[in-house]
Amino acid sequence: MYKYLTEVNFEKNSLEYKNILVKLGKNIKHHRIEQDYSLTDVSVMTDISTSYLSKLENGKAPKPSVYTFLKICIAIKMEPRLLFNKVNLF
């Protein structure tokens, strides 16, 4: 029924981990564009480089932190719960 976190493979190179990052990135990008913000706008508001933001939106950012995701959500006026829309963790 439910999986314990010890049963879930979140290794950096696992396919599951990469799929989660891709979906999180797509959700951010979708909301950013919907709010009419450019990558540069978000970069200025969050002090995160446009290069890293682009990688994050494409699911290629190395080990993004929860803090990074929250900074972006606040900047683009996105409720954090929407970040996990269509993200299947288990």
Side-chain angles (χ1 to χ4, degrees), residues 19 21 25 28 38 42 44 50-52 56 59-60 62 64 74 87-88:
N19 285 337
L21 290 182
I28 288 172
S38 69
V42 179
V44 169
T50 54
S51 172
Y52 190 82
L56 195 139
K60 297 178 181 178
I74 291 166
V87 175
N88 225 348

Side-chain angles (χ1 to χ4, degrees), residues 28-74:
I28 288 172
K29 184 175 185 175
H30 173 77
H31 195 79
R32 175 181 63 78
I33 292 169
E34 194 174 76
Q35 293 294 317
D36 201 30
Y37 290 121
S38 69
L39 281 174
T40 304
D41 295 334
V42 179
S43 176
V44 169
M45 291 186 283
T46 61
D47 199 29
I48 300 170
S49 72
T50 54
S51 172
Y52 190 82
L53 287 169
S54 177
K55 287 178 185 175
L56 195 139
E57 288 186 350
N58 292 302
K60 297 178 181 178
K63 296 182 117 179
S65 70
V66 171
Y67 179 72
T68 299
F69 283 118
L70 288 176
K71 277 175 56 172
I72 295 167
C73 285
I74 291 166

Side-chain angles (χ1 to χ4, degrees), residues 9-12 14-21 63-64:
N9 182 6
F10 283 117
E11 291 180 23
K12 184 179 175 185
S14 74
L15 184 58
E16 292 158 333
Y17 180 78
K18 289 179 183 179
N19 285 337
I20 289 169
L21 290 182
K63 296 182 117 179

